[in-house]
Amino acid sequence: MRTDPVAPGSAAGRVAALAALLADETRAAMCLALLDGRAWTAGELARHARVAASTASEHLNRLVAGGVLAEERQGRHRYVRLAGSGAARLVEELAARAAPGGERPVGLSAVRAGSRLARGRTCYDHLAGRIGVALTDAMAERGLLDRDGDLAPTAEGRAWFAAQGLDLTPPGRRPVARACLDWTERRPHLAGHAGALLCRHSLDQGWCRRPGTDRAVEITPEGERQLGDLLGIAADAWRPTR
C-alpha cells in the first residue's frame, strides 16, 4: 500500500517540526534555563548548555526560526528569551511530563541546586515549587481560586487581587489564570496573568527573594508574616511535605 509523505506545511508536519526542535538535549536545556523569564545572551546559554559558542548559535537560530524563542540585539550582544507565555507553557508542560525519575543529581552542588528549585522557583513569570503550590492551595482553600475552573479567580478572589492593587485584566489573549502542573510537587500551581501578578507582587513586596542568579526563589520572614496574615498560611507550609 502506498503511503504519501506528510507535507511539511501541514498541521502534522508543523507538529513534527516543533517536536524535533525540542527533542535535542542542548536546545531543551536552553529552553529550560529561559523559564526564569529573563533574556539571556548566546554566550550565557552556551556556557549553561556546555557547548561551544558556534554550536549554541546554531541551536538558537533554529529555536528562533521555529518561533520558540525571540531575539533582541543591543550593540554587539544578542539576547534571546522565550517567545511568550505560550512557548513557556509548552516547555513547562513538557518538563512536568518528563518528571524526575531514576536519574539523580551528581555532586553536592547539583543536589543543593535541585533542592532550592524544589522549594521555590520562577516558572517563566509565575511562582512554582513548594512556594507556588502552597500559595495556590491557600488561595483555593479560602475560596479565592476555583479548583474546578482551572484556578480561575472567584468574585472573592478578584476582590482580593484588587485589594493588593493588582489588575486582573490580562494583556492580549493571555488567560486570566490557569492551572500549571508542578513538576516537583506533582500538583498544580497558579499560572496565567494572575500567577504573573502574584509572582511580581511577592518579589516587589519582599515576600519572596532570589537567593542567587538562577530561577530559585525563597520565602522571606516578612513573607511568612504577611502571607500568614493575608492567607492564613502556616510557616510549616513552606517546608518539605515528604
Side-chain angles (χ1 to χ4, degrees):
M1 182 177 69
R2 176 184 171 185
T3 302
D4 293 327
V6 174
S10 68
R14 291 193 296 273
V15 169
L18 178 59
L21 273 179
L22 296 175
D24 180 89
E25 190 170 350
T26 296
R27 292 194 290 273
M30 292 175 169
C31 290
L32 286 169
L34 290 166
L35 277 177
D36 67 359
R38 296 177 293 180
W40 289 44
T41 66
E44 288 169 337
L45 286 169
R47 290 189 291 274
H48 175 78
R50 299 181 181 180
V51 295
S54 58
T55 301
S57 183
E58 291 175 7
H59 285 301
L60 293 174
N61 287 341
R62 292 190 61 179
L63 288 165
V64 170
V68 177
L69 303 184
E71 69 176 353
E72 303 171 7
R73 291 188 180 272
Q74 293 186 8
R76 295 180 298 122
H77 296 290
R78 177 195 193 189
Y79 291 87
V80 293
R81 63 171 72 246
L82 287 168
S85 59
R89 181 175 184 176
L90 174 65
V91 176
E92 289 170 15
E93 293 187 348
L94 285 173
R97 282 158 177 74
E103 185 177 345
R104 302 190 65 80
V106 178
L108 182 59
S109 61
V111 171
R112 285 175 174 167
S115 179
R116 284 199 310 271
L117 291 177
R119 285 196 299 271
R121 62 187 181 277
T122 50
C123 195
Y124 187 52
D125 60 0
H126 56 271
L127 292 168
R130 197 167 302 118
I131 289 175
V133 170
L135 281 169
T136 301
D137 284 349
M139 296 181 78
E141 287 166 8
R142 289 198 159 221
L144 306 181
L145 301 175
D146 182 3
R147 285 199 187 275
D148 296 326
D150 206 24
L151 296 182
T154 62
E156 293 84 355
R158 289 181 175 276
W160 187 89
F161 275 92
Q164 312 311 311
L166 304 175
D167 183 3
L168 281 177
T169 305
R173 296 183 178 180
R174 189 173 195 187
V176 173
R178 66 175 179 84
C180 179
L181 180 63
D182 196 281
W183 62 265
T184 51
E185 293 295 296
R186 308 305 296 156
R187 297 168 57 217
H189 59 246
L190 179 64
H193 181 57
L197 285 176
L198 186 60
C199 177
R200 184 72 265 156
H201 189 64
S202 297
L203 290 167
D204 288 346
Q205 296 298 312
W207 300 346
C208 295
R209 73 177 188 92
R210 296 185 185 274
T213 58
D214 61 11
R215 59 192 180 104
V217 296
E218 63 185 18
I219 197 77
T220 64
E222 177 66 11
E224 286 191 3
R225 288 191 294 272
Q226 293 294 333
L227 292 170
D229 291 342
L230 285 170
L231 296 171
I233 304 177
D236 59 6
W238 316 112
R239 298 170 191 151
T241 56
R242 58 185 184 279

